[in-house]
Amino acid sequence: MHFFSNNICFDGDMARNAEELMRRCHGYFLENGDKNFCFNDLQQYADKLPYSQVDELLQLISQNIDEHEQDSLPEGQNRLRRKNLTMMKVNKLKLEYCLVLSKAGRMTAETRIEDVPAACVKVRGPQSKTFLVGMAPFSEGPAQLEAFALTCLKIHASRATTPTDGNSGTERFPEDDAGILAASALVRLYHLGDHQNALLRAAAILQHIITISPFNYEALVVMTMLRAKLGDGLGAAAFYHKLSVKNIQLTTVPWLLCTRISTIHPHRPHLDHTNATLKKAGEDPIEHLSQTLDYYLHLRDADQRDLAGFIDAAQYSDMMEAMDSMDFPHSGFSKYMLYVEYARTARLSGMKSNAKYESLAGSLPATTWDDRDRTPVPRWEHHAYVPLDEMLLPGDWPTEAHLARQFMVAAAFNMTDQGNTSFNYYHVLQYNVGSTPFSSELDSSVEMDQFKLAMYCTSIIIRYDQKLPDNHTRKQNSELVTKNMKWIEALLERKNKEVSKMEIRKEQFLWCISDTIDAPDWKFFHTIYTGIDSCNLVKKMTDRLEMDNRKFRLIDSEWASEKIQTARKLCDEYRNTVHHQAARLREEFSDERHHSEMVQHIIGQSADPGAEDPIAGEIRGVCGEEAARLLVRSMCRGWAEALKNVELITAA
């Protein structure tokens, strides 16, 4: 198969090689279709098949499954046959999802089937990886995804609801993979712009899988990411806690939870961050962040001891090998991302940042590398199309430029403290940001706005830190401070206009589950918390400016006082608007009628039998109404806690 898959792209014997590759893939499935490893082995070869051979392969496999289903076996082998048959069906569904459905997109009436490959759209993905997003080789992408999800749900429904035959719940069942496939299809449906309630239904399916198979690692991983995407920080942290991440996993797995966790989880600023209830339930993200950063500290100290031991023993070859392995965690992206999240969490919650973590982060290196371990997330998509973990990320995966900008924001907060100018650190960060620090890349606009504010604030402080400048420099500094104050005022005015439009243009800020329900997903909390963080920075800067200008008189005192008061007033207006919005939303999500309406969007009971949603009916049969209600209450609790935290932060 390896030879034919590598030579399928050559024009001369392309058709013959494709036919032979398809035949060998089919033969391999006949031999190993009832094994769990079958799909993983076939995926690297089958995804190179042209669509005509893909369709033929899937039809042949379906015929084989039908024949296998009709075979008669002795009574004692019926249970084994059912399990093997289910595994064959699941492997076939994985192939269908990989080769056809993971490419699902929309086609116009003018687009011809043969033009589809040329019509695909290339977008830049994380770490400059290119994904093909767009046209599938069929015109009914959403409809086929719905049918596929329904088929997967029916297979998942055949799974026993409780462990049997002495099984403790640790055994892996093929029906569970069918449920995860159904959830993946629903997530993809949501990203195609259809079915706003698809993410809720995906969460209900995953919740059911975890209930009957509590140690299903893949289901826990997907659920962690999904709940984070939905803005439910409590739920995301609780499911992450069940993964029991420890030892070397702490350097590769925490990205599942900690990608911008600081802007979705309730930080409880007026309580001790080691709250016993949260800690016991695993719902405190600060605990997870601290545990991971502590491991990095331990790893650094252990590496230094190991190197000293190698030098003392004159084991230089072992020392070089150890140094190569040490670069893996210390030059990776994750350590710096975790520090950024911890620093922002500390600022928002009013904690004093731990100095040992600042020494661990140090200054951002010129280059880092993506050290995420992505194997825990199911990778059942075609290799050239957007995978599930990218669709579940809360926002785009942070880039090196994003990290540099967040380090700049942290430095700006340090510089606003009297006696801590960090002048050299500022220039190092400017270098790391690059020559075009305002290019958005993959960063959201709210983060770019915060970075601009940080640049304006640090620029003002640096002008006052230049001791005894000459008259020409003093004049230049005065002009720069004046310009920066005007830019800060203009940016704050725009932020206030944006946040005041939440009532009118909800679709830009809230996740619209239906015409009547708008939920605060990650984007909402990220916008709010980043805005609050920015206002805190501006207020600290104005305090420093007010003090310094009394000493140095760099700008007119009366004008400075007016601009300082204006900036503070704009910050207070932003906080007040956010406070009232959070209070209103929290009241809505505490209402049982709201819960009941959300439950109906999951199980979809209708008085009109002809209007029944088949997917909703299948979820209702598999999960049950009570389980759907418990899921909704859990998510609403997470939202309510986060909104309550927004109220507490903005009430001061």
Side-chain angles (χ1 to χ4, degrees):
M1 282 195 294
H2 184 72
F3 169 80
F4 292 105
S5 66
N6 284 343
N7 289 277
I8 197 171
C9 58
F10 296 129
D11 293 335
D13 295 322
M14 184 176 70
R16 183 175 63 82
N17 287 339
E19 183 67 29
E20 182 64 19
L21 178 60
M22 187 277 295
R23 187 182 65 79
R24 295 197 179 197
C25 287
H26 179 231
Y28 187 86
F29 190 94
L30 289 178
E31 291 292 328
N32 302 288
D34 58 350
K35 307 295 192 301
N36 190 47
F37 58 76
C38 178
F39 170 75
N40 291 333
D41 286 352
L42 280 179
Q43 184 181 20
Q44 58 183 315
Y45 303 109
D47 65 4
K48 297 179 181 180
L49 288 171
Y51 181 68
S52 57
Q53 267 72 35
V54 166
D55 188 50
E56 185 178 354
L57 175 63
L58 293 176
Q59 288 182 15
L60 288 172
I61 291 175
S62 296
Q63 292 174 9
N64 297 140
I65 292 174
D66 292 340
E67 293 170 1
H68 189 78
E69 203 164 11
Q70 294 169 5
D71 289 344
S72 59
L73 290 175
E75 186 64 28
Q77 298 182 29
N78 277 340
R79 181 176 176 274
L80 179 61
R81 184 184 72 168
R82 282 200 305 272
K83 183 175 181 179
N84 291 346
L85 182 62
T86 302
M87 181 60 76
M88 290 179 70
K89 290 180 178 179
V90 171
N91 280 327
K92 185 259 181 182
L93 288 171
K94 288 180 180 179
L95 281 172
E96 183 180 356
Y97 181 73
C98 172
L99 303 177
V100 180
L101 294 159
S102 66
K103 308 173 186 178
R106 296 186 180 279
M107 294 177 63
T108 63
E110 294 79 17
T111 306
R112 299 176 301 172
I113 296 297
E114 55 268 27
D115 292 335
V116 167
C120 290
V121 181
K122 289 187 177 182
V123 297
R124 185 160 297 281
Q127 310 304 320
S128 299
K129 182 176 180 180
T130 298
F131 293 117
L132 297 176
V133 182
M135 318 305 182
F138 51 84
S139 58
E140 300 297 330
Q144 286 197 253
L145 275 171
E146 290 179 34
F148 177 81
L150 187 60
T151 301
C152 293
L153 279 171
K154 289 179 178 178
I155 293 177
H156 176 65
S158 63
R159 158 86 155 88
T161 56
T162 55
T164 57
D165 299 334
N167 175 38
S168 63
T170 59
E171 182 180 350
R172 184 187 182 95
F173 287 83
E175 294 91 344
D176 294 345
D177 281 2
I180 298 175
L181 274 170
S184 301
L186 289 172
V187 172
R188 195 165 290 274
L189 262 178
Y190 174 80
H191 279 271
L192 288 176
D194 293 318
H195 300 274
Q196 294 298 316
N197 57 6
L199 295 182
L200 272 180
R201 292 179 173 182
I205 296 167
L206 293 167
Q207 182 74 58
H208 180 258
I209 295 172
I210 294 168
T211 301
I212 60 177
S213 296
F215 300 101
N216 190 308
Y217 200 85
E218 289 180 336
L220 288 169
V221 163
V222 177
M223 189 63 151
T224 297
M225 297 189 73
L226 180 57
R227 295 290 277 266
K229 183 179 180 66
L230 295 177
D232 178 14
L234 285 179
F239 282 106
Y240 175 83
H241 180 68
K242 294 179 181 180
L243 291 172
S244 301
V245 177
K246 52 186 175 292
N247 296 331
I248 195 63
Q249 287 179 306
L250 288 167
T251 65
T252 55
V253 178
W255 70 271
L256 296 169
L257 171 72
C258 298
T259 304
R260 297 169 176 169
I261 186 66
S262 61
T263 49
I264 62 173
H265 193 91
H267 311 295
R268 296 174 176 253
H270 293 269
L271 298 175
D272 182 12
H273 77 273
T274 56
N275 181 280
T277 305
L278 284 177
K279 187 173 180 180
K280 184 177 180 180
E283 295 177 342
D284 185 2
I286 300 179
E287 187 67 26
H288 294 304
L289 286 170
S290 300
Q291 181 187 17
T292 306
L293 290 170
D294 283 338
Y295 181 77
Y296 275 107
L297 285 171
H298 164 76
L299 202 61
R300 182 188 64 183
D301 295 340
D303 289 345
Q304 292 174 351
R305 288 195 300 269
D306 290 344
L307 287 176
F310 288 136
I311 293 172
D312 291 341
Q315 296 174 334
Y316 300 113
S317 60
D318 292 338
M319 183 182 70
M320 297 303 295
E321 184 178 345
M323 289 178 68
D324 290 339
S325 65
M326 290 171 190
D327 287 338
F328 175 79
H330 294 300
S331 62
F333 196 92
S334 296
K335 181 176 74 171
Y336 300 99
M337 182 189 71
L338 290 167
Y339 169 72
V340 162
E341 295 302 308
Y342 180 86
R344 184 158 50 188
T345 300
R347 295 196 303 265
L348 285 167
S349 60
M351 294 189 316
K352 185 176 181 180
S353 183
N354 198 322
K356 66 180 181 180
Y357 297 147
E358 293 183 10
S359 67
L360 175 66
S363 60
L364 190 64
T367 58
T368 56
W369 64 287
D370 188 354
D371 59 346
R372 286 179 292 171
D373 180 7
R374 303 171 76 173
T375 55
V377 187
R379 305 280 292 189
W380 297 330
E381 294 81 11
H382 190 281
H383 73 276
Y385 285 77
V386 180
L388 179 63
D389 55 90
E390 298 294 341
M391 291 191 292
L392 289 176
L393 277 176
D396 297 306
W397 174 245
T399 62
E400 287 182 350
H402 160 81
L403 277 186
R405 285 188 269 270
Q406 288 302 311
F407 266 67
M408 183 69 240
V409 171
F413 271 93
N414 289 334
M415 293 172 72
T416 55
D417 295 330
Q418 184 66 22
N420 184 5
T421 60
S422 304
F423 183 79
N424 293 330
Y425 191 37
Y426 168 78
H427 283 286
V428 170
L429 288 169
Q430 267 197 319
Y431 172 77
N432 282 326
V433 167
S435 58
T436 56
F438 296 123
S439 59
S440 62
E441 294 190 8
L442 295 180
D443 284 332
S444 65
S445 59
V446 292
E447 289 176 341
M448 288 303 301
D449 286 345
Q450 186 182 35
F451 172 70
K452 290 177 183 178
L453 281 173
M455 293 290 286
Y456 299 152
C457 291
T458 51
S459 178
I460 290 173
I461 293 170
I462 285 174
R463 306 309 154 195
Y464 282 93
D465 284 341
Q466 293 183 13
K467 308 301 181 184
L468 301 176
D470 55 45
N471 290 335
H472 178 69
T473 304
R474 182 180 176 86
K475 182 180 179 181
Q476 285 184 325
N477 288 345
S478 177
E479 291 174 354
L480 284 170
V481 170
T482 302
K483 287 180 181 179
N484 280 296
M485 286 300 296
K486 290 179 179 178
W487 290 337
I488 289 173
E489 182 179 338
L491 200 154
L492 289 175
E493 287 177 347
R494 178 167 61 80
K495 299 295 289 182
N496 274 286
K497 289 179 181 178
E498 289 175 357
V499 77
S500 65
K501 292 177 181 177
M502 282 188 178
E503 290 282 359
I504 304 170
R505 293 157 57 193
K506 294 180 180 179
E507 69 277 1
Q508 291 191 5
F509 299 93
L510 297 172
W511 164 43
C512 299
I513 301 174
S514 69
D515 294 337
T516 56
I517 300 180
D518 301 296
D521 64 354
W522 170 83
K523 181 181 177 183
F524 171 83
F525 287 117
H526 184 68
T527 302
I528 293 303
Y529 278 123
T530 305
I532 294 171
D533 200 29
S534 300
C535 288
N536 292 341
L537 174 60
V538 172
K539 294 197 79 171
K540 286 172 69 73
M541 184 277 298
T542 55
D543 292 340
R544 175 78 185 273
L545 173 62
E546 191 173 40
M547 183 184 304
D548 287 349
N549 201 56
R550 288 173 186 165
K551 296 179 182 178
F552 303 109
R553 303 286 182 178
L554 195 58
I555 55 177
D556 180 72
S557 298
E558 186 175 340
W559 186 88
S561 177
E562 179 186 347
K563 291 300 178 184
I564 287 171
Q565 293 304 318
T566 300
R568 289 173 177 171
K569 181 181 178 182
L570 289 170
C571 289
D572 289 338
E573 287 178 2
Y574 184 91
R575 294 164 69 94
N576 289 335
T577 303
V578 167
H579 180 86
H580 293 304
Q581 297 287 359
R584 178 187 60 79
L585 281 172
R586 184 169 66 85
E587 185 177 348
E588 287 183 12
F589 283 97
S590 301
D591 190 345
E592 282 292 332
R593 291 176 298 178
H594 220 68
H595 297 178
S596 299
E597 190 172 348
M598 289 180 67
V599 169
Q600 294 309 311
H601 281 286
I602 297 175
I603 60 176
Q605 286 179 307
S606 175
D608 181 10
E612 184 72 13
D613 183 345
I615 294 180
E618 198 66 41
I619 292 176
R620 182 169 65 250
V622 172
C623 304
E625 182 175 353
E626 187 58 32
R629 192 170 296 279
L630 290 174
L631 170 69
V632 167
R633 285 177 178 170
S634 172
M635 294 182 65
C636 287
R637 172 180 170 253
W639 289 329
E641 287 289 335
L643 291 165
K644 182 179 179 181
N645 182 69
V646 172
E647 291 181 68
L648 290 171
I649 291 176
T650 54

